[in-house]
Amino acid sequence: MFKPLDGLAPKPKVELDVDGTTVTVAQDRTLAIALLEAGYHATRRNHRGEPCAPYCLMGVCFECLVQVDGVDNVQSCQVRVRAGMKVCLPQGPRAVKER
Ligand code: FES
């Protein structure tokens, strides 16, 4: 789906953990772009179980929400990847926590 432009120098790579799978991505990417390039075309499922994917890539639509290092609802288009980042792709609604 996505191909880097020809002629650009190869970028250093970093490894992420995406739902327990090690994924190698270019280190200068936002998390949303890195996931798309790695073949994760649906980065979460909504409350009806429908697949959702990053849409605007500029922090407006909130279609790119994922869990990063245990923090829910991170806009993946607004964070840069870093080595060792642990990413969980939401699969529908979360359970309501008791207080
Ligand atoms: S892709 Fe729209 S807010 Fe991230």
Side-chain angles (χ1 to χ4, degrees):
M1 181 173 189
F2 293 93
K3 291 192 312 190
L5 296 173
D6 290 336
L8 295 178
K11 302 289 186 186
K13 304 280 186 179
V14 295
E15 289 187 345
L16 317 176
D17 178 310
V18 181
D19 285 342
T21 301
T22 301
V23 177
T24 304
V25 300
Q27 79 172 36
D28 64 340
R29 302 290 201 261
T30 65
L31 179 55
I33 292 297
L35 290 170
L36 289 169
E37 285 181 330
Y40 291 90
H41 299 148
T43 52
R44 68 180 182 95
R45 291 195 175 269
N46 67 16
H47 64 287
R48 291 185 296 257
E50 300 163 337
C52 299
Y55 182 67
C56 72
L57 300 173
M58 60 183 192
V60 176
C61 73
F62 288 76
E63 291 293 331
C64 64
L65 299 178
V66 297
Q67 184 190 73
V68 176
D69 296 332
V71 178
D72 288 323
N73 300 324
V74 174
Q75 287 176 284
S76 61
C77 69
Q78 299 297 298
V79 297
R80 295 247 178 225
V81 296
R82 64 181 179 283
M85 184 179 255
K86 185 169 173 35
V87 180
C88 293
L89 306 180
Q91 299 297 315
R94 290 172 299 174
V96 176
K97 294 177 184 169
E98 296 293 327
R99 290 187 181 193

